[in-house]
Amino acid sequence: MISIENISKSFGKQEVLKNISVKMNSNECIALIGPNGSGKTTLIKSVLGMVPVVKGKILIDNVSIEGNYQYRSLIGYMPQIGRYPDNMNIGQVINLMKNIRGNQTSFDETLIDDFNLRAIYGKKMSTLSGGTRQKVSACIAFLFNPHVLILDEPTAGLDPLSSEILKNKILVEKAKGKLIIITSHVLSELEDLITRVIYMQDGNIRIDAFLNDLLLQTGENKLGKIISKALN
Amino acid sequence: MMRITKYVLTDILRNKTLIVYTLLLFLLSFSVFSLEDNPTKGVLSILNLLLIIVPLISSIFTTIYIYNSSEFIELLVSQPVKRSSIWMSIYFGLASSLSLAFIIGAGIVTLIYQPDSTGFFLILSGVLLSLIFCSIAMLTSVYNRDKAKGIGASILTWLYFSLLFDGILVFLLFQFSDYPIEKAMMTLSMLNPIDLARILILLKLDVSALMGYTGALFRSFFGNASGQTISFLVLAIWFLLPFLISLRKFKHKDL
């Protein structure tokens, strides 16, 4: 599905991604974890083309993303901090998103209903709380029923109830055989979702293994402990 | 691309700043024309006003709009939309609404009091100046990540073109007054769109005699049809080139 080949990226003198290669396939749910500033978000953004990479290649379904933009219709992206035009309301933002992908007519609006967003469609984006913004971001990511879901810190700022709704939605999509990539610092909530762990540090991939293998290898059952054992 | 342009346009047209700008232009041009009994004098006074106001408002409004829509841009970039069509839609939206504000604010009044080719030239150069300073502002804001820096840079470019450049020109004129530098001066004035617009209108108004020998030279060059065509071409380059450079930069920008 997604094949990343030897990509490097620097912001000025700071090298954020150092020669990273990784393959991600459908039917996987990948936890992309690592300390702050380890390059997780940059890796995600380079797949989305928000941060163009000069060195290395990124292929999606064996097609290079360079100079290509159509491939983004395969991806649903939920950013870490959703930034939206202040003067638009929730309904307008969602309509704008639908409008941009004019050729698609069927939408997955289950999350909009589950989060009960329709009741507050008229609220301006500038007045929303951080959690409600996250809900809007989540709804947009799932709206187009994409093959790949990239969720950057999906539950940060969500209340426990909404967080549970989102997790259930992720499980439903996982069952459909999609590729799901989640970054998070709250390891405990990832445990029942993921099948594979990628641990990044200082722009390198330190661990890339299936969860089942790691469980056997380390003999632990908590993700936090598994990671710290696997690193030593 | 049409869809994004539509969003940008509705967003800008709802903006109160632009309505105030239109009203300001209307009041200024209306009062200037009513004060002067001779409409030609009116055109001259308006020319001096619009050479200051239009570039200033166009560049500052564009810069602030670009920074304020950084969220919108970020949102669109992760969607299946071409980067170039995002940037072009924003330019198209800004440039057309700024020109529209100018045409409604100053253009209609000018055409009522001065319904001839001079009035038409005045409107044309106002529209061109709006386009030019909009695209220069897009260039300065694509290179500056920081909002304060970006606005500062666009104010500085405005200051340079409307004041500093003339100062340098006068300085050169005095320093090299013993040499035949008229041709060089003519070329230099091409480097400033505001000067170019001013010269075009002054020549059209036939007050170039006031400009002495240089004026005569300008007249012989700009006054004829080919001179006018060349200066319009140069003005066109002035809004195309900065925009194209900014487009190239935007395509490879980290967001």
Side-chain angles (χ1 to χ4, degrees):
Chain A
M1 200 75 215
I2 301 179
S3 159
I4 295 170
E5 294 171 7
N6 305 319
I7 63 164
S8 300
K9 179 74 192 175
S10 316
F11 293 133
K13 276 180 188 164
Q14 193 195 357
E15 216 180 352
V16 193
L17 298 176
K18 297 170 187 162
N19 200 24
I20 284 188
S21 298
V22 65
K23 271 198 167 64
M24 302 170 184
N25 305 310
S26 26
N27 226 345
E28 278 187 330
C29 186
I30 299 172
L32 185 61
I33 50 184
N36 300 121
S38 55
K40 304 183 298 277
T41 301
T42 308
L43 185 65
I44 286 175
K45 282 190 168 181
S46 54
V47 170
L48 283 160
M50 294 173 82
V51 173
V53 283
V54 191
K55 266 188 229 159
K57 262 199 301 192
I58 298 174
L59 305 173
I60 293 193
D61 286 337
N62 297 320
V63 183
S64 169
I65 65 164
E66 209 186 316
N68 188 348
Y69 66 96
Q70 290 293 357
Y71 77 93
R72 277 179 229 141
S73 57
L74 299 172
I75 303 176
Y77 169 58
M78 177 176 173
Q80 192 169 14
I81 303 160
R83 306 212 304 147
Y84 300 97
D86 278 345
N87 52 1
M88 287 170 106
N89 61 36
I90 299 180
Q92 284 169 333
V93 168
I94 289 177
N95 277 331
L96 168 68
M97 290 291 109
K98 286 181 181 171
N99 238 313
I100 284 170
R101 308 203 193 187
N103 43 9
Q104 194 164 343
T105 44
S106 65
F107 303 106
D108 179 0
E109 295 188 331
T110 43
L111 264 187
I112 299 180
D113 297 326
D114 290 347
F115 283 145
N116 216 354
L117 279 189
R118 266 183 237 280
I120 50 167
Y121 254 22
K123 269 198 181 177
K124 285 252 188 279
M125 294 308 290
S126 52
T127 63
L128 297 186
S129 70
T132 319
R133 263 165 201 267
Q134 285 285 92
K135 288 181 190 170
V136 175
S137 305
C139 292
I140 292 172
F142 287 92
L143 193 59
F144 303 99
N145 207 5
H147 296 295
V148 182
L149 281 161
I150 300 180
L151 312 171
D152 199 353
E153 300 275 356
T155 54
L158 285 186
D159 62 80
L161 214 66
S162 314
S163 177
E164 207 52 41
I165 293 173
L166 183 58
K167 265 161 83 175
N168 284 331
K169 181 67 186 163
I170 296 173
L171 282 172
V172 169
E173 297 302 309
K174 185 185 161 191
K176 291 183 190 163
K178 295 183 175 175
L179 166 59
I180 301 170
I181 303 167
I182 307 175
T183 77
S184 182
H185 290 294
V186 191
L187 299 179
S188 55
E189 70 180 17
L190 292 173
E191 277 161 1
D192 33 351
L193 295 173
I194 59 167
T195 58
R196 181 176 161 191
V197 178
I198 295 178
Y199 184 86
M200 287 183 73
Q201 197 170 24
D202 300 327
N204 292 307
I205 292 180
R206 288 284 303 275
I207 304 173
D208 180 4
F210 289 105
L211 187 64
N212 289 337
D213 297 344
L214 280 177
L215 286 172
L216 286 174
Q217 205 183 320
T218 56
E220 296 283 351
N221 56 4
K222 285 270 177 239
L223 193 55
K225 283 190 177 156
I226 292 173
I227 299 295
S228 54
K229 256 201 172 171
L231 279 174
N232 291 320
Chain B
M1 185 177 154
M2 278 312 291
R3 294 194 190 101
I4 308 171
T5 313
K6 211 186 83 196
Y7 268 94
V8 174
L9 263 178
T10 44
D11 190 36
I12 297 173
L13 293 180
R14 261 187 307 183
N15 196 315
K16 288 185 191 76
T17 320
L18 211 65
I19 298 166
V20 173
Y21 172 54
T22 315
L23 278 177
L24 177 80
L25 284 174
F26 180 80
L27 282 177
L28 275 176
S29 47
F30 191 71
S31 54
V32 166
F33 273 120
S34 341
L35 280 175
E36 304 276 2
D37 43 357
N38 180 357
T40 311
K41 272 189 187 166
V43 168
L44 258 181
S45 317
I46 286 189
L47 175 69
N48 285 324
L49 280 172
L50 78 88
L51 286 177
I52 301 281
I53 294 173
V54 170
L56 180 67
I57 303 283
S58 299
S59 49
I60 294 198
F61 183 78
T62 305
T63 318
I64 293 178
Y65 187 81
I66 299 271
Y67 284 103
N68 283 353
S69 53
S70 63
E71 292 101 357
F72 180 71
I73 294 172
E74 227 169 84
L75 188 66
L76 291 185
V77 163
S78 66
Q79 300 298 319
V81 183
K82 248 193 202 161
R83 275 202 183 194
S84 52
S85 59
I86 299 174
W87 201 242
M88 283 199 281
S89 309
I90 292 177
Y91 180 64
F92 188 76
L94 277 167
S96 55
S97 45
L98 282 168
S99 316
L100 196 70
F102 179 79
I103 291 170
I104 293 173
I108 292 174
V109 183
T110 311
L111 280 184
I112 292 170
Y113 283 93
Q114 183 87 27
D116 58 3
S117 61
T118 314
F120 177 73
F121 259 65
L122 188 75
I123 295 167
L124 192 65
S125 35
V127 169
L128 279 170
L129 281 179
S130 307
L131 298 183
I132 289 166
F133 279 86
C134 178
S135 76
I136 291 176
M138 287 189 77
L139 182 64
T140 51
S141 45
V142 82
Y143 272 97
N144 290 299
R145 202 166 257 279
D146 186 53
K147 188 176 180 175
K149 250 190 202 167
I151 295 174
S154 80
I155 293 178
L156 269 182
T157 39
W158 169 78
L159 203 66
Y160 170 75
F161 284 126
S162 54
L163 292 173
L164 295 179
F165 189 90
D166 285 348
I168 296 169
L169 219 61
V170 170
F171 174 76
L172 287 177
L173 199 64
F174 273 100
Q175 288 298 311
F176 296 98
S177 55
D178 297 342
Y179 303 94
I181 54 163
E182 286 78 12
K183 282 223 166 92
M185 293 297 283
M186 216 157 63
T187 323
L188 276 179
S189 68
M190 296 266 183
L191 293 177
N192 185 350
I194 298 182
D195 269 4
L196 211 55
R198 181 181 2 236
I199 291 167
L200 267 176
I201 307 276
L202 286 182
L203 289 169
K204 200 77 198 153
L205 280 174
D206 228 359
V207 286
S208 55
L210 296 175
M211 303 197 311
Y213 176 56
T214 337
L217 199 93
F218 274 118
R219 173 151 200 83
S220 70
F221 177 72
F222 286 107
N224 55 40
S226 65
Q228 279 172 9
T229 322
I230 289 173
S231 28
F232 276 118
L233 277 179
V234 174
L235 285 174
I237 291 172
W238 264 108
F239 76 79
L240 282 175
L241 200 65
F243 174 70
L244 289 176
I245 298 170
S246 75
L247 182 67
R248 238 186 69 176
K249 172 73 184 165
F250 180 73
K251 276 188 188 166
H252 303 287
K253 200 183 178 191
D254 296 329
L255 287 162

